[in-house]
Amino acid sequence: EAGVAQSPRYKIIEKRQSVAFWCNPISGHATLYWYQQILGQGPKLLIQFQNNGVVDDSQLPKDRFSAERLKGVDSTLKIQPAKLEDSAVYLCASSLGGRGEGTDTQYFGPGTRLTVL
Amino acid sequence: GIQVEQSPPDLILQEGANSTLRCNFSDSVNNLQWFHQNPWGQLINLFYIPSGTKQNGRLSATTVATERYSLLYISSSQTTDSGVYFCAVSWYNNNDMRFGAGTRLTVKP
């Protein structure tokens, strides 16, 4: 079974530029998450989708970050314009979703390491 | 929101030694997972364990939900066990996984 795919793996941009990340979840997983992991910290949830609807985006800095999951499968996360403090690893995760035991187990992709200069 | 505390923050072991990592959380949870983040940054699922005990090879985990803690046991550690171990929890009616700050494990040959 293929895991969660993310691209690109690395990105270097200058502040005020724009950047986009792509995520393809595990096939059949209804729930998709984007996390931000700053060096030395645990991941922090930015946004959660259930199919193509947003479940939770309370920690997403909406003045510069946006995300979409138009067809309920893959997703893009965009930052526009980027700031120095956005330097981090952006992780995508997916879970089956539903009410059964373990259906909310989250599986993570390899992440995109963003450096803002 | 829910607080997640992991201890110790850093752990250095000689290969072959055993260790116990602890995760305390401040509220009732319906999801608790242990992850290993390898040196390349990949987060790998170790256990889904909101309660009870599970074992997988040299690793085992126990969660005592009523006392709000979970333990991860690593036996006969190997250098490949090095990395950061995260505990993450979510609580009822909320899938927002809150991560602890992690335990950085270094296993020396």
Side-chain angles (χ1 to χ4, degrees):
Chain A
E1 176 183 271
V4 177
Q6 289 188 247
S7 67
R9 293 295 310 278
Y10 305 92
K11 190 74 177 179
I12 301 174
I13 62 172
E14 300 203 344
K15 60 183 179 183
R16 292 187 288 272
Q17 286 187 321
S18 302
V19 65
F21 313 126
W22 175 83
C23 172
N24 192 31
I26 293 172
S27 177
H29 280 198
T31 311
L32 184 148
Y33 314 80
W34 282 102
Y35 289 84
Q36 179 192 59
Q37 186 177 20
I38 292 171
L39 188 64
Q41 299 180 15
K44 182 186 82 171
L45 181 70
L46 293 176
I47 188 167
Q48 176 186 342
F49 292 93
Q50 180 76 17
N51 296 309
N52 61 350
V54 175
V55 173
D56 182 357
D57 63 357
S58 57
Q59 299 186 91
L60 186 74
K62 297 181 188 62
D63 57 333
R64 298 183 300 106
F65 286 65
S66 64
E68 60 184 14
R69 194 185 184 200
L70 292 176
K71 297 182 180 178
V73 180
D74 56 353
S75 174
T76 56
L77 175 70
K78 297 179 181 177
I79 307 175
Q80 180 180 10
K83 293 185 175 181
L84 296 177
E85 59 261 35
D86 297 332
S87 293
V89 176
Y90 291 85
L91 294 161
C92 179
S94 69
S95 66
L96 266 174
R99 296 182 182 275
E101 168 81 8
T103 57
D104 54 351
T105 304
Q106 295 188 24
Y107 298 90
F108 282 78
T112 297
R113 184 176 298 276
L114 174 67
T115 302
V116 182
L117 303 175
Chain B
I2 199 166
Q3 304 297 313
V4 183
E5 294 182 355
Q6 292 187 243
S7 60
D10 293 279
L11 187 57
I12 300 174
L13 300 175
Q14 208 63 37
E15 198 168 27
N18 303 328
S19 62
T20 301
L21 283 58
R22 187 176 180 102
C23 172
N24 292 333
F25 43 94
S26 61
D27 208 339
S28 299
V29 299
N30 68 333
N31 181 355
L32 188 148
Q33 290 184 244
W34 282 98
F35 295 92
H36 174 218
Q37 189 163 43
N38 65 23
W40 296 271
Q42 175 74 54
L43 272 166
I44 299 165
N45 270 304
L46 297 177
F47 295 102
Y48 169 87
I49 188 165
S51 63
T53 297
K54 291 185 178 179
Q55 180 159 6
N56 184 3
R58 296 182 296 105
L59 303 182
S60 63
T62 295
T63 298
V64 184
T66 53
E67 297 187 21
R68 300 181 182 169
Y69 73 88
S70 183
L71 302 173
L72 177 69
Y73 306 96
I74 305 174
S75 65
S76 305
S77 58
Q78 300 175 359
T79 55
T80 52
D81 295 332
S82 296
V84 183
Y85 290 80
F86 287 104
C87 166
V89 304
S90 61
W91 56 107
Y92 290 95
N93 300 316
N94 188 323
N95 258 349
D96 178 2
M97 290 277 284
R98 293 294 171 95
F99 281 74
T103 292
R104 181 173 297 277
L105 175 66
T106 303
V107 181
K108 296 188 171 183

